[in-house]
Amino acid sequence: MQKHGNLLFWRDLSPYSPPLHAPTNSSPRVLIIGGGVTGLVTAWTFLDKGYHVTILAKDWATYGTAQRLTSQIAGALWEFPPAVCGQHTDAISLQNSKRWCMVAYHVWDAIAASKELSELTGVRMKCADFFFPVPVEQDPAQMSKMLEIMASGVRGFRRDPAIIAERRVDKNYGAVDAYEHLAPIIDTDVSMAFLMKLVVSKGAKMVTRTISGDLLNQEAQLRAEFDADVIINATGLAGTELAGDDSCYPIRGGLIRVVNDGSDFPKLDAALTITADAVHDSSEIVFLVPRNDNILLIGGIAESHEDQLDLTLDSPILKRMRARCEAFLPDLKKAKLDPAYPLAQGLRPFRQRNVRVERELRPQPNGSTPSRIVHSYGQGGAGWSLSFGCAGDVAALVEEALLDLSPRPMMIEVAADKAPVSVMEPTGLPLRAESDFRARL
């Protein structure tokens, strides 16, 4: 069974400098390639473990009108997988993602619990509401997912069709059932600035540079150049080139940004979503996420294998998206565009087998020991939701790599202490009581 590295805030991660464990001259050295949320959270993890860290990226977060990083474009609503766009379906990835997302949930929740840290990081816990076109019991996959969420450890779970009217959703849109729970919502610009400042304060070296070609073929050169014991690949879509992985592909997304200060329509303080897996159609997503700076994100779209960032507010797919969201929540017809940054678009980094958190499985060219490359990419639109969970497992994999143990592929894990039980099997209650139990859900 693969070793996991479940991180806990304060025990494993400190939001202040210096690092929890100061590095020494003999401490391991890691080179992290990638300056998005996955790379920066991974760097934070290793810095607090006492490692020497260098982060190399071709681009860093920017805050003007130019194209921003994918990590900044993200809606950054924490979600239990499969996420809104419904693309994470690989069984191995899905099993791991459910664990990774809960590690991240508890870290973000702990950060949001402090008023000071909440403001510094742009993280708040808010209601996330999910709407369905049929009663949840009539969709076995959604029933299973809801029961998993209830048992996962999220706070504030409530299932109640009354949420539809409470959120002013148009009764004619077709939503008949709903549930909600508290979820981290992250202002990505604020959080990326915090993460960059934090890792630098803890001692990370930042290098701006583009790496081209398969990392395996240049592993020895890069390790020598940066005096690195291990290389961590957190480059997103560049996995196609850097990991020799031709299963990587983009899913283009776009979000319209409108003013959400209560002056034009009642301020929306909860995230409202209709997920792709709920309606079995990625073209019918509703994704409304209130940022913490009086901006509301209106989405969403998921265009597989579209790699051009050429959307405009007049693009037909965005016009349909906005019309769909206005039909769902008529208050949005009064919404005004954010004058500074009305449209955000980016490429979600997916791969055919979904998220890869794994050591390099190919042998080093002319090498007698295994590769010391560790991969963390393919998070798609869930980079923020999986961040700390993936970073913890990367840390465990790096420990293995430092020992030159043979790498193992990602795989389904089966608990040895009990047989797997379907969430749709009987609860063990008397038949009448079980029926009443499910009715109360």
Side-chain angles (χ1 to χ4, degrees):
M1 180 177 292
Q2 181 172 308
K3 181 181 177 182
H4 303 311
N6 294 341
L7 301 175
L8 292 176
F9 197 61
W10 298 119
R11 185 194 71 181
D12 304 307
L13 299 160
S14 164
Y16 306 113
S17 59
L20 281 175
H21 303 282
T24 67
N25 290 336
S26 61
S27 296
R29 300 172 184 273
V30 295
L31 170 64
I32 298 172
I33 304 176
V37 61
T38 300
L40 294 180
V41 165
T42 302
W44 179 1
T45 300
F46 280 96
L47 288 161
D48 273 340
K49 286 175 69 68
Y51 284 58
H52 298 280
V53 175
T54 299
I55 310 170
L56 185 154
K58 67 175 182 178
D59 296 304
W60 306 97
T62 58
Y63 301 93
T65 57
Q67 178 62 34
R68 302 184 187 185
L69 292 183
T70 299
S71 293
Q72 294 175 269
I73 300 302
L77 164 68
W78 179 93
E79 297 175 77
F80 192 87
V84 166
C85 61
Q87 300 289 332
H88 282 119
T89 56
D90 176 80
I92 296 174
S93 177
L94 195 57
Q95 183 190 61
N96 282 294
S97 294
K98 290 174 181 178
R99 178 174 52 81
W100 291 329
C101 79
M102 292 312 304
V103 173
Y105 182 95
H106 293 302
V107 173
W108 293 125
D109 190 17
I111 290 172
S114 161
K115 181 179 180 181
E116 175 197 9
L117 292 179
S118 178
E119 293 176 353
L120 282 174
T121 60
V123 182
R124 306 284 192 279
M125 297 296 289
K126 294 185 177 183
C127 283
D129 297 354
F130 299 85
F131 300 86
F132 303 89
V134 297
V136 175
E137 290 86 354
Q138 294 184 19
D139 186 329
Q142 290 305 313
M143 183 66 178
S144 174
K145 181 177 179 179
M146 185 183 75
L147 292 174
E148 283 190 273
I149 290 173
M150 291 171 63
S152 68
V154 300
R155 295 194 293 118
F157 182 88
R158 170 194 172 211
R159 184 210 178 169
D160 191 346
I163 295 170
I164 299 169
E166 291 172 9
R167 300 302 185 197
R168 301 169 63 90
V169 172
D170 192 320
K171 63 181 180 181
N172 296 316
Y173 191 83
V176 302
D177 205 351
Y179 62 73
E180 68 181 9
H181 58 75
L182 290 173
I185 294 179
I186 302 160
D187 285 357
T188 54
D189 286 339
V190 175
S191 199
M192 286 294 289
F194 166 80
L195 289 171
M196 289 185 67
K197 183 177 180 180
L198 179 67
V199 297
V200 170
S201 75
K202 287 178 179 287
K205 298 178 181 178
M206 315 289 271
V207 177
T208 303
R209 177 169 150 188
T210 299
I211 299 292
S212 301
D214 195 326
L215 286 176
L216 187 63
N217 297 329
Q218 49 192 318
E219 177 180 355
Q221 174 191 338
L222 288 170
R223 283 181 55 195
E225 180 180 352
F226 291 97
D227 193 22
D229 297 298
V230 178
I231 298 173
I232 298 169
N233 171 28
T235 55
L237 279 174
T240 299
E241 181 177 3
L242 299 188
D245 186 350
D246 61 6
S247 74
C248 298
Y249 64 97
I251 296 184
R252 183 168 66 176
L255 296 168
I256 296 173
R257 296 165 53 96
V258 299
V259 177
N260 183 37
D261 61 3
S263 60
D264 300 306
F265 61 92
K267 183 172 182 176
L268 186 60
D269 280 324
L272 313 182
T273 67
I274 296 180
T275 64
D277 59 333
V279 291
H280 309 289
D281 187 346
S282 62
S283 66
E284 293 299 322
I285 298 170
V286 170
F287 184 72
L288 305 175
V289 180
R291 285 285 171 84
N292 305 312
D293 56 357
N294 289 333
I295 294 295
L296 177 70
L297 304 180
I298 297 178
I301 59 173
E303 296 183 286
S304 295
H305 302 283
E306 288 286 348
D307 59 3
Q308 298 300 308
L309 296 174
D310 56 4
L311 294 170
T312 72
L313 292 170
D314 292 323
S315 296
I317 193 170
L318 289 186
K319 285 186 171 181
R320 292 194 298 271
M321 178 186 79
R322 183 163 187 176
R324 181 169 68 247
C325 292
E326 289 177 351
F328 173 77
L329 190 70
D331 288 341
L332 296 180
K333 295 176 181 178
K334 304 173 185 177
K336 294 179 181 177
L337 293 172
D338 173 13
Y341 189 42
L343 172 62
Q345 57 183 309
L347 304 177
R348 306 177 182 96
F350 273 84
R351 65 190 290 267
Q352 187 175 353
R353 286 161 290 176
N354 304 152
V355 189
R356 184 184 187 191
V357 176
E358 183 177 59
R359 289 176 59 196
E360 176 58 59
L361 300 175
R362 299 171 296 170
Q364 289 191 75
N366 304 316
S368 59
T369 57
S371 168
R372 285 191 176 184
I373 296 172
V374 176
H375 298 287
S376 181
Y377 65 90
Q379 282 85 356
W384 293 92
S385 294
L386 304 180
S387 54
F388 292 100
C390 290
D393 276 15
V394 168
L397 293 172
V398 165
E399 291 178 2
E400 291 184 3
L402 289 170
L403 296 173
D404 291 322
L405 301 178
S406 297
R408 294 167 292 174
M410 297 176 68
M411 61 185 65
I412 289 286
E413 295 185 1
V414 179
D417 56 343
K418 60 181 179 179
V421 178
S422 167
V423 293
M424 296 305 294
E425 288 183 1
T427 61
L429 298 172
L431 186 59
R432 175 61 182 276
E434 179 182 330
S435 175
D436 291 344
F437 168 76
R438 293 195 178 277
R440 290 198 299 272
L441 293 179

